[in-house]
Amino acid sequence: MDTVPPKLSLEHSAVLFLDMQNEFLNPDGAFNRNGLIPPMAPADRQTLVLNSTKLIQTMRETGRPIVHLKTVFRPDHEDCFLSPLWQSCLGHKNSALAKGSTGAAIIEELQPQVKDFVLIKKGHSAFQHTYLDRLLARLGIDTCIVAGNLHGSAHETFAQGG
């Protein structure tokens, strides 16, 4: 018996972009250099950006929320709650993901607009140490479309709250 998968309804949905930041998507980023994130071929990055911009366009056309979750720390990383292995890539003098740094910025192609939500996270999870759960509840969201850098943040996000 063939079953047809249910069609995605955008009525109560939001898109969550996880860590679409220069530090994570740049081949010279700390996590790429240390092997925690596999290098992304330029064609794969281009596909990710193209699909993400199409998703943003669809969500904006339908009036649905766009939430950018980005990992940002103090310059001394004292507020970093990444796992010890990931923290070791940052080093003590590395400005990776420091507030105001190029690495912490969302990639140019996906810059948030005024109506978008931008939440700062301090660890792998999009829910832990953020108010994402409250935001989604307040907006009446029951379906999240997750996109972005999924090499650690996705597993932790779903384990924590998604």
Side-chain angles (χ1 to χ4, degrees), residues 33-148:
R33 284 193 318 267
N34 288 290
L36 288 176
I37 297 176
M40 183 180 289
D44 292 339
R45 185 187 189 282
Q46 184 177 9
T47 299
L48 174 64
V49 169
L50 178 63
N51 289 339
S52 296
T53 56
K54 287 179 182 177
L55 183 55
I56 284 174
Q57 180 181 352
T58 298
M59 297 304 274
R60 288 199 173 115
E61 287 172 357
T62 57
R64 302 311 308 148
I66 298 167
V67 182
H68 298 270
L69 291 125
K70 56 187 257 184
T71 305
V72 180
F73 308 117
R74 295 171 13 157
D76 62 7
H77 297 128
E78 289 297 319
D79 58 345
C80 175
F81 300 112
L82 295 175
S83 68
L85 180 60
W86 284 68
Q87 283 187 35
S88 71
C89 293
L90 296 174
H92 292 291
K93 296 182 181 180
N94 189 335
S95 66
L97 299 174
K99 183 178 181 178
S101 70
T102 302
I106 294 172
I107 62 172
E108 183 180 337
E109 300 92 336
L110 301 181
Q111 284 299 301
Q113 291 187 0
V114 174
K115 289 188 176 185
D116 295 349
F117 296 92
V118 178
L119 279 67
I120 304 300
K121 59 191 195 74
K122 303 292 182 174
H124 298 284
S125 173
F127 286 93
Q128 189 177 31
H129 306 292
T130 74
Y131 59 89
L132 179 59
D133 58 336
R134 292 181 190 154
L135 174 66
L136 296 175
R138 192 184 84 219
L139 297 173
I141 303 301
D142 62 17
T143 302
C144 293
I145 303 165
V146 180

Side-chain angles (χ1 to χ4, degrees), residues 15-26:
V15 64
L16 309 179
F17 284 106
L18 300 177
D19 296 329
M20 292 293 279
Q21 297 165 254
N22 292 316
E23 185 65 40
F24 293 108
L25 297 178
N26 180 345

